[in-house]
């Protein structure tokens, strides 16, 4: 026990806050269309459950029917036919995301942006209490966006993320090093960041269902089963140990766009037109963030789900639509389309280089 407490000491010197917006896409929609309040709302694809697409998110009312993210829209419709289905309006959500991140940056600039509705802050140097900081954030976000969020505060990122999920919606959960045994260990292993369905299955075969049972396993067993890197990670994480730093900014590695056709497509012109549109969007990402690219990768998925990629690279990074489109089309020429039906087209630009003097977005 003593040894464990010492090992954890370093990790417990920090104060990390994790914030996650509540039913984000759905809340933005409810906020701008008040008539939706109190009704089950599902956001996904084109907002038409008779068409292909998956649920991006559902509001809490719709979740009562068992609707969840990544579920086909058709299944969601079967579970709750009276739900209101809306298309994804990513631009609107991104605009709101920028507003709430501006509120966070007022608290501290040591912020890690982890997605459209999530962020970590290092508040170790902030003199206010956890409650006060949380209140400032919640009020600030509510005033700027009309939305609620859930906050977790803990000695590291791993625990802060678990904490923010504990009292949704509009929650605040403060987690200290002493809470490991009582509050972390009873949780199911899937709550631990990095444990997906496959690892869960492996661990269940070892009769491990809770994080506490995982923590009780000798590390050698985990290393033998999962290799040194992931094995050690699982051992440490189950004990609430996480030294990973807040990463305040990073360079993107690539930009990509893909689309699944409503009905599988075999018309070359329609495929080419779609590719040109996707290329245009990727080029606009490049321009907005101030990058040029040295390679373009095309992805094609056939109706039987077989997927092929073709890449095209050049020495000098390019950012103009014309040039990127030419590369994308040279990839398309190398794909066998003869008489085949295509389900999905995607394009990715990579090997990015920053363009001098570019202003990058938040
Ligand atoms: P989450 O934070 O996972 O979900 P949420 O904000 O909708 O709900 P919660 O209150 O439980 O946090 O994801 C944030 C947004 O990301 C979500 O509103 C929609 C989008 N998203 C997808 O598009 N697909 C997905 O599979 C998931 C999980 C999220
Ligand atoms: Mg969320």
């Amino acid at each position: 026990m003593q040894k464990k407490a010492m090992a954890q000491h370093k990790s417990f010197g920090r104060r990390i806050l994790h914030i996650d917006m509540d039913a984000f896409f759905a809340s933005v929609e409810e906020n701008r269309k008040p008539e939706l309040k109190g009704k089950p709302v599902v956001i996904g694809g084109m907002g038409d459950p008779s068409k292909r697409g998956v649920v991006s998110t559902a509001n809490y009312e719709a979740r009562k029917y068992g609707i969840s993210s990544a579920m086909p829209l058709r299944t969601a419709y079967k579970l709750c036919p009276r739900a209101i289905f809306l298309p994804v309006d990513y631009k609107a959500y991104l605009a709101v995301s920028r507003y709430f991140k501006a509120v966070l940056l007022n608290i501290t600039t040591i912020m890690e942006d982890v997605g459209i509705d999530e962020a970590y802050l290092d508040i170790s140097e902030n003199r206010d209490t956890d409650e006060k900081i949380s209140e400032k954030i919640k009020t600030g976000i509510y005033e700027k966006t009309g939305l609620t969020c859930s906050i977790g505060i803990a000695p590291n990122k791993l625990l802060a993320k678990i904490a923010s999920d504990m009292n949704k919606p509009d929650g605040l959960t403060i987690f200290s090093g002493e809470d490991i045994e009582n509050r972390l260990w009873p949780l199911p292993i899937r709550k631990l960041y990095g444990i997906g369905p496959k690892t869960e299955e492996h661990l269940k075969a070892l009769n491990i269902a809770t994080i506490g049972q995982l923590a009780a396993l000798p590390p050698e067993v985990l290393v033998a089963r999962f290799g040194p890197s992931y094995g050690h990670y699982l051992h440490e994480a189950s004990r609430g140990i996480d030294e990973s730093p807040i990463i305040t900014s990073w360079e993107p590695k690539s930009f990509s766009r893909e689309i699944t056709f409503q009905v599988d497509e075999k018309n070359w012109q329609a495929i080419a037109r779609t590719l040109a549109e996707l290329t245009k969007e990727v080029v606009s990402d490049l321009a907005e963030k101030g990058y040029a690219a040295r390679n373009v990768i095309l992805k094609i998925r056939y109706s039987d789900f077989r997927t092929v990629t073709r890449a095209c690279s050049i020495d000098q990074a390019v950012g103009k639509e014309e040039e990127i489109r030419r590369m994308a089309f040279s990839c398309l020429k190398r794909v066998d389309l003869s008489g085949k039906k295509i389900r999905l087209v995607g394009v990715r630009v990579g090997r990015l280089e920053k363009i001098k003097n570019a202003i990058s977005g938040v």
Side-chain angles (χ1 to χ4, degrees), residues 20-23 117 168:
D20 187 299
M21 302 299 290
D22 301 322
D117 92 326
K168 265 187 168 287

Side-chain angles (χ1 to χ4, degrees), residues 19-25 57 60 63 117-118 150 168:
I19 173 168
D20 187 299
M21 302 299 290
D22 301 322
F24 186 50
F25 292 5
T57 197
Y60 285 77
R63 290 183 201 188
D117 92 326
E118 263 184 85
S150 294
K168 265 187 168 287

Side-chain angles (χ1 to χ4, degrees), residues 334-354:
R334 289 187 278 129
V335 179
D336 176 17
L337 294 174
S338 52
K340 295 201 168 66
K341 283 191 182 169
I342 306 300
R343 183 182 167 84
L344 172 150
V345 181
V347 66
R348 172 184 301 273
V349 292
R351 298 228 210 118
L352 304 181
E353 282 175 18
K354 192 97 187 152

Side-chain angles (χ1 to χ4, degrees), residues 25-317:
F25 292 5
S27 305
V28 175
E29 296 292 357
E30 276 178 38
N31 211 32
R32 61 179 179 176
K33 299 185 190 105
E35 69 274 15
L36 297 175
K37 289 235 161 82
K39 296 182 183 154
V41 178
V42 178
I43 317 289
M46 307 215 303
D48 181 348
S50 68
K51 301 231 166 91
R52 268 183 187 167
V54 292
V55 174
S56 288
T57 197
N59 70 355
Y60 285 77
E61 203 48 46
R63 290 183 201 188
K64 288 182 194 159
Y65 295 84
I67 298 175
S68 59
S69 299
M71 172 182 278
L73 287 174
R74 270 184 205 149
T75 315
Y77 181 77
K78 277 184 201 145
L79 289 169
C80 181
R82 70 178 187 93
I84 294 163
F85 288 81
L86 296 174
V88 175
D89 182 356
Y90 200 77
K91 265 193 188 151
Y93 314 144
L94 197 59
V96 176
S97 177
R98 286 182 175 152
Y99 274 120
F100 92 75
K101 285 185 186 145
V103 173
L104 301 178
L105 286 168
N106 264 332
I107 302 286
T108 174
T109 52
I110 315 175
M111 176 180 93
E112 179 171 338
D113 194 336
V114 267
I116 193 159
D117 92 326
E118 263 184 85
Y120 292 99
L121 303 181
D122 188 330
I123 50 165
S124 309
E125 301 301 321
N126 197 310
R127 283 158 181 253
D128 287 333
T129 61
D130 292 340
E131 289 80 1
K132 182 81 199 159
I133 295 171
S134 165
E135 190 197 308
K136 273 191 191 168
I137 293 176
K138 280 173 180 271
T139 319
I141 291 181
Y142 192 78
E143 279 171 4
K144 282 251 169 74
T145 68
L147 303 183
T148 64
C149 62
S150 294
I151 290 178
I153 301 179
N156 57 46
K157 284 163 67 176
L158 179 91
L159 294 173
K161 188 168 165 76
I162 291 176
S164 71
D165 195 42
M166 278 179 152
N167 288 302
K168 265 187 168 287
D170 201 14
L172 165 65
T173 307
I174 299 167
F175 210 103
S176 83
E178 284 90 62
D179 290 324
I180 304 274
E181 208 167 322
N182 292 336
R183 295 169 78 192
L184 180 69
W185 285 357
L187 298 177
I189 41 179
R190 273 300 284 279
K191 290 274 174 189
L192 214 52
Y193 181 78
I195 297 193
K198 276 196 183 150
T199 309
E200 184 185 29
E201 217 173 279
H202 278 299
L203 288 170
K204 289 236 159 106
L206 297 172
N207 270 330
I208 305 293
T210 67
I211 299 178
Q213 288 167 340
L214 182 62
L217 271 189
E220 308 82 71
V221 175
L222 291 168
V223 168
R225 186 101 190 184
F226 299 103
S229 164
Y230 190 43
H232 279 298
Y233 166 78
L234 289 175
H235 180 69
E236 301 236 303
S238 67
R239 286 155 183 256
I241 301 170
D242 168 33
E243 302 284 352
S244 62
I246 296 279
I247 300 165
T248 48
S249 71
W250 66 86
E251 303 289 310
K253 289 205 167 65
S254 63
F255 294 105
S256 63
R257 282 284 199 290
E258 58 181 47
I259 196 162
T260 304
F261 291 113
Q262 281 306 318
V263 178
D264 294 342
E265 186 60 75
K266 60 178 176 186
N267 178 320
W268 188 88
Q269 270 174 342
I271 296 166
R273 205 166 42 238
T274 305
L275 178 60
E277 278 162 20
L278 295 173
T279 305
K280 191 172 183 175
E281 289 176 18
V282 163
V283 168
S284 116
D285 285 348
L286 275 175
E288 189 191 330
K289 305 279 183 201
Y291 285 90
R294 284 181 49 217
N295 84 344
V296 173
I297 299 166
L298 169 76
K299 175 163 136 188
I300 294 282
R301 178 166 294 147
Y302 296 105
S303 53
D304 61 1
F305 277 84
R306 200 164 55 83
T307 306
V308 294
T309 57
R310 296 286 181 271
C312 175
S313 296
I314 44 166
D315 293 337
Q316 189 81 36

